[in-house]
Amino acid sequence: MTEDDIQQIFFVECEEALEATETGLAACREGTHDGETINAIFRAVHSIKGGAGAFGHTALAAYTHGFENLLGEIREGKVPLEPVLVDLLLLALDCLRDHVEAARGRGNPPDDADLLARLEAAQAGGSGLAAEVAAPAPPPAPASAFDDLDSLLDELSAPAPAPAPPAPESWLVHIRPHAGAMTKGSEPLLWLRELTDLGGTCELCDISAVPTFERLAVEEGYLGWTFRMPGDVARESVAEIFDFVGDEVALAYEPDAMPPPRVAAPVPAAAARAISATTDVSQPAAASVDPAASAAAPPPVAAATAAPPPAGGAATQSVRIDLKKLDMLIDGVGELVIAQAMLAQRLTNENLAHIEELALIDGLVRDIQEHAMAFRAQPISSVFGRVPRLLRELGTSTGKHVKLEVAGETTELDKTVIERLSEPMTHLIRNAVDHGIEPPEERRAAGKDPEGTLTLSAEQKAGRIIIRIADDGRGIDRERVLAKAIANGLVAPEAQLTDDDINQLIFAPGFSTAATVSNISGRGVGMDVVKQNVKELGGRITIESVPGKGTTFALALPLTLAISDGMIVQVGDQSLVIPLTHVIESLRPTPADVKGMGTRAQMLNARGTFVPIVPLGVMTGANDAVCNPCEGVLVLVETEGHGRAALLVDAIADQRQFVIKALDAHYRQIDSVAGATILGNGKVALIVDVDFIASSAARNHTAVPLAAAA
Amino acid sequence: MIALPPICDRSAASALYPEIAEALGPSPLALDASKVERIGQAMLQLLVSASRTEGGIAIHQPSATFTAALALTRLDHVVMEEVAA
């Protein structure tokens, strides 16, 4: 594993730490936090700092140091956690995110001088927090981030409120890196640099252990250092530098008088002893002069033995796997499902369909498939987690402060879907705040809470993931949207459109760009892109909008893009697959259940509700398909948004898993066909797009009152 | 004269070890440190060891990074006892 690989892991951990911080601060904002929340935030920031130091990201390390100082004070209860402070911490988090991005080589480090000054002011001023007013002017053009830290440290160590107490005694730390300290991507010299940055100076380097050249082993660690640290630097600050190093370095603090092993040469040892002796004398003296100073210094024994705070948090074990390998596994599982279907078919031909072994394989294949899919599943919180920052930024640019409510963030989705979801989500949220939610004055006038609310929710429903983005804004002004669409020539002036049709107009390409977005109350920018993105994911987007109350965008996305359960039906000479997630029941109706409507259409009376019957034979053009519902089988299906339909088929052949192969990749996209699959007999079967069929069936029938059919 | 590479990390130290071992003799071994941009403990202790073996070493044209690293580690007097111009 190269240093780069390790660094990549660090960045992944940074992401996790940033998420954890965001979650923690959100809890603080809602007032649902406890001591552990603050601890978790502290640990997260601290772990970024540790890694940043180890990899030499000085700007990031310096910034996290300032951030962490304040968190430390909050953790110890010295600074009360007030709402205004939480806001400052959220700002600091955003800046931290930018720093991490900069460390990854994506952009320049942000200018953090002002923010660091505010963090420091918050730390010093406690609850006063007049930081915004009293924030010291940023230091004039710092040469490097470490200058910031230095000045920060200088200010920290400077006597602030009370008359200057005598400076505490400096102290010594001995460091001896072992062999492993140089092998795992870390570099002892970086630690020494951090010690220097804390104000330490190297007293001596112990080279007594270095052998002659022929006996030298490059991997071994032979050097040891003694650093003198200023008295106002806490021992914890030094210990933190080595948090990530574990056992790879021996540390000892004077006056513990226990230098690390192998400091054997007479001169350095004597020097260390001499120093030790002088401080031993001066220590009680200092204590007698100023008890506060020595009380502030941590008790040496506790500091030396206290374990550093755990860096990771929860102890879930995980392995990082190259995504390509994972996808190969998933592809393999797909082929396995097909092979298993073929085997089942062959055995059926030999009258062996019901042997125990086949059922066993069936179960195992299903298990493997589910587990393989679970590898790719990720909670949607990774997408939702970015929203608070987006809202903060939008709040700054639009002046609209929006509360965020989130539900179902643990819902899991396929990684591919998650990755491609963030762009359309960002677009929709931007639109909701920009155009949906009114400015505070307007909201007050309408009797609403001046602060708008954005609700994000995710749930699994009918084999799909439904993500809702709802605002409580002014809703879509359909009249104006329609007028604009007619003016743009998108709709004929005499067209009769339903509310839903008008809502859908905002997705029309060109609609948004032609509209003057600022004075149209509907939404506008780039909505066609959103629809396209969602469609590419195999999903659908619907709008519910109530004028004055708000708008909800519902995204229905497939759980996975690869394997699904389906009912294999026979229609004439064709085999078709109906995704099982849509199927409610199947039945053979009696003549009394079926009512004719118009000249060709038929309705099924399904326990009191009339459902349009869709003869799949007619749609597919299959030969010899059953036309009379009473001779075939009706499969009752339900869809998201288009109600129910009864699909007329000849017979149900089987129910099994199928591997979805995209049709447009091999042929072209066809309405009413969601894809294709390979059956056990090696033939290709088309997968019915139930949503499309139900919506077209609904369109043909809803205009006729149901009473007419009865 | 042996030139130290820009990145003097552990693998550079391993790579350079046989060459220096071969070249060390009764008179100081000349090492060119003008290109050093980064240096780690492994290379430093290699230089310390070399400086204490046979005729030792002489550093030529040390780069700023090199000098700073030696100052940080207080190894300047050990490694650069005989700095050549």
Side-chain angles (χ1 to χ4, degrees):
Chain A
M1 197 177 249
T2 66
E3 188 173 330
D4 245 18
D5 293 337
I6 302 170
Q7 181 145 253
Q8 284 315 315
I9 295 176
F10 163 62
F11 286 134
V12 172
E13 285 172 359
C14 277
E15 288 293 324
E16 290 162 7
L18 288 170
E19 292 300 328
T21 312
E22 180 92 54
T23 315
L25 288 175
C28 292
R29 192 171 217 187
E30 288 157 17
T32 56
H33 62 284
D34 53 20
E36 183 47 38
T37 317
I38 308 290
N39 273 335
I41 297 171
F42 183 88
R43 277 199 301 270
V45 175
H46 179 75
S47 69
I48 295 179
K49 176 181 143 179
F55 290 107
H57 298 299
T58 48
L60 176 60
Y63 177 75
T64 39
H65 181 80
F67 193 174
E68 187 193 58
N69 275 344
L70 175 57
L71 288 170
E73 297 283 301
I74 297 171
R75 184 168 68 159
E76 284 161 30
K78 290 182 189 158
V79 176
L81 190 61
E82 292 172 352
V84 58
L85 184 59
V86 176
D87 287 344
L88 177 62
L89 291 176
L90 283 166
L91 274 181
L93 170 65
D94 291 347
C95 183
L96 177 57
R97 227 182 266 275
D98 293 339
H99 262 297
V100 171
E101 286 298 294
R104 297 180 99 153
R106 306 174 185 166
N108 295 322
D111 180 13
D112 55 12
D114 183 41
L115 194 56
L116 276 174
R118 286 179 62 185
L119 292 175
E120 194 199 343
Q123 191 183 340
S127 57
L129 258 186
E132 257 139 314
V133 193
S144 85
F146 263 118
D147 291 349
D148 295 349
L149 179 61
D150 284 344
S151 61
L152 188 67
L153 284 165
D154 288 344
E155 284 174 49
L156 275 180
S157 55
E169 278 300 318
S170 61
W171 49 282
L172 294 177
V173 54
H174 310 281
I175 305 119
R176 182 169 286 278
H178 297 320
M182 291 181 287
T183 57
K184 295 182 181 165
S186 46
E187 173 52 59
L189 259 60
L190 290 172
W191 310 329
L192 302 189
R193 191 155 296 141
E194 285 196 49
L195 287 175
T196 317
D197 291 330
L198 279 177
T201 46
C202 184
E203 288 268 317
L204 61 97
C205 176
D206 172 22
I207 56 167
S208 57
V210 181
T212 52
F213 208 74
E214 59 272 18
R215 298 221 317 274
L216 182 85
V218 175
E219 290 80 13
E220 270 297 326
Y222 296 109
L223 301 175
W225 286 274
T226 300
F227 266 72
R228 177 170 292 281
M229 305 305 296
D232 49 20
V233 174
R235 200 165 284 192
E236 285 86 347
S237 314
V238 170
E240 278 168 11
I241 297 175
F242 300 95
D243 261 8
F244 274 74
V245 187
D247 298 334
E248 306 301 352
V249 61
L251 286 175
Y253 302 95
E254 174 273 338
D256 295 0
M258 217 189 66
R262 286 168 53 177
V263 179
V267 178
R273 264 199 301 277
I275 295 154
S276 202
T278 50
T279 19
D280 281 348
V281 176
S282 58
Q283 189 90 356
S288 65
V289 172
D290 180 24
S294 60
V301 178
T305 53
T316 38
Q317 294 205 336
S318 62
V319 179
R320 291 178 201 279
I321 301 174
D322 186 358
L323 196 57
K324 257 190 232 144
K325 290 183 189 166
L326 200 55
D327 286 343
M328 276 159 64
L329 173 69
I330 307 255
D331 283 350
V333 172
E335 297 304 317
L336 180 64
V337 172
I338 293 175
Q340 191 254 342
M342 287 176 166
L343 176 66
Q345 183 76 36
R346 175 69 67 88
L347 289 173
T348 309
N349 295 346
E350 306 290 330
N351 272 333
L352 290 168
H354 300 292
I355 59 172
E356 203 176 308
E357 291 84 349
L358 188 61
L360 195 64
I361 290 179
D362 198 40
L364 288 173
V365 167
R366 187 170 287 265
D367 280 354
I368 292 174
Q369 185 245 314
E370 271 171 17
H371 290 145
M373 287 303 170
F375 288 158
R376 289 188 58 97
Q378 286 190 333
I380 197 163
S381 55
S382 61
V383 178
F384 283 3
R386 298 186 197 134
V387 177
R389 176 175 194 183
L390 180 64
L391 287 182
R392 282 198 292 280
E393 287 173 356
L394 285 171
T396 320
S397 60
T398 63
K400 298 174 192 171
H401 288 278
V402 180
K403 276 183 292 199
L404 178 67
E405 284 174 9
V406 176
E409 62 268 43
T410 52
T411 310
E412 290 194 327
L413 261 173
D414 190 271
K415 184 175 164 57
T416 326
V417 182
I418 292 257
E419 278 165 1
R420 285 153 69 183
L421 193 59
S422 111
E423 194 188 330
M425 286 266 299
T426 308
H427 238 105
L428 287 172
I429 292 168
R430 210 177 275 276
N431 265 280
V433 177
D434 246 11
H435 305 298
I437 292 175
E438 314 91 326
E441 314 81 59
E442 201 179 320
R443 290 181 66 87
R444 243 181 243 118
K448 292 184 185 177
D449 182 353
E451 212 172 57
T453 304
L454 185 79
T455 312
L456 298 180
S457 68
E459 61 176 325
Q460 199 173 335
K461 197 174 172 188
R464 296 198 145 226
I465 298 285
I466 313 291
I467 297 166
R468 285 200 174 78
I469 299 152
D471 64 62
D472 64 346
R474 50 168 84 97
I476 295 177
D477 185 345
R478 294 197 191 88
E479 276 177 32
R480 298 193 71 157
V481 171
L482 184 59
K484 202 83 210 171
I486 291 171
N488 286 352
L490 286 168
V491 182
E494 67 277 9
Q496 290 292 314
L497 297 180
T498 62
D499 283 358
D500 193 43
D501 289 339
I502 300 173
N503 288 345
Q504 292 287 335
L505 280 175
I506 65 173
F507 291 123
F511 178 82
S512 52
T513 45
T516 46
V517 176
S518 54
N519 61 15
I520 200 163
S521 54
R523 291 130 198 289
V525 191
M527 293 300 266
D528 56 323
V529 180
V530 172
K531 184 159 193 180
Q532 192 55 36
N533 282 339
V534 174
K535 203 172 167 194
E536 277 166 14
L537 286 172
R540 291 202 162 71
I541 183 164
T542 49
I543 311 174
E544 297 155 28
S545 182
V546 182
K549 296 267 193 241
T551 307
T552 302
F553 287 88
L555 278 60
L557 299 167
L559 265 179
T560 140
L561 304 171
I563 301 181
S564 188
D565 270 294
M567 185 181 267
I568 297 166
V569 295
Q570 203 61 38
V571 179
D573 54 357
Q574 298 275 328
S575 292
L576 296 174
V577 181
I578 302 173
L580 208 57
T581 51
H582 291 286
V583 177
I584 304 169
E585 61 177 322
S586 56
L587 54 108
R588 169 164 284 174
T590 62
D593 294 335
V594 180
K595 304 285 178 192
M597 191 175 72
T599 49
R600 300 213 327 255
Q602 288 177 308
M603 304 291 279
L604 169 73
N605 181 355
R607 299 188 192 91
T609 37
F610 284 95
V611 177
I613 293 173
V614 183
L616 285 185
V618 176
M619 296 201 74
T620 54
N623 296 321
D624 307 324
V626 172
C627 295
N628 181 355
C630 302
E631 290 169 13
V633 177
L634 288 176
V635 181
L636 201 59
V637 292
E638 186 171 44
T639 60
E640 180 68 32
H642 301 296
R644 295 180 176 190
L647 308 181
L648 173 59
V649 301
D650 294 8
I652 294 170
D654 199 358
Q655 184 176 310
R656 62 165 52 255
Q657 284 186 309
F658 62 95
V659 181
I660 303 167
K661 305 274 181 191
L663 201 61
D664 46 355
H666 302 285
Y667 179 52
R668 66 180 171 84
Q669 182 64 42
I670 299 174
D671 289 340
S672 79
V673 175
T677 190
I678 301 168
L679 294 179
N681 58 13
K683 285 189 179 163
V684 173
L686 298 179
I687 302 164
V688 177
D689 185 346
V690 175
D691 274 295
F692 182 85
I693 288 178
S695 74
S696 57
R699 265 205 300 279
N700 294 339
H701 292 286
T702 43
V704 184
L706 286 184
Chain B
M1 169 140 23
I2 297 176
L4 299 181
I7 307 295
C8 290
D9 57 4
R10 195 171 59 92
S11 48
S14 302
L16 216 55
Y17 179 81
E19 200 179 336
I20 294 181
E22 180 91 356
L24 279 171
S27 57
L29 170 64
L31 292 173
D32 175 5
S34 61
K35 303 224 166 42
V36 176
E37 289 165 15
R38 208 172 84 193
I39 188 161
Q41 182 182 344
M43 185 63 91
L44 284 178
Q45 60 192 23
L46 183 110
L47 296 179
V48 171
S49 174
S51 71
R52 303 169 87 198
T53 305
E54 298 210 39
I57 54 170
I59 302 291
H60 289 254
Q61 296 173 319
S63 68
T65 316
F66 187 83
T67 318
L70 291 191
L72 172 75
T73 52
R74 294 296 292 272
L75 284 170
D76 30 11
H77 300 298
V78 183
V79 175
M80 297 225 280
E81 255 168 349
E82 302 161 62
V83 178

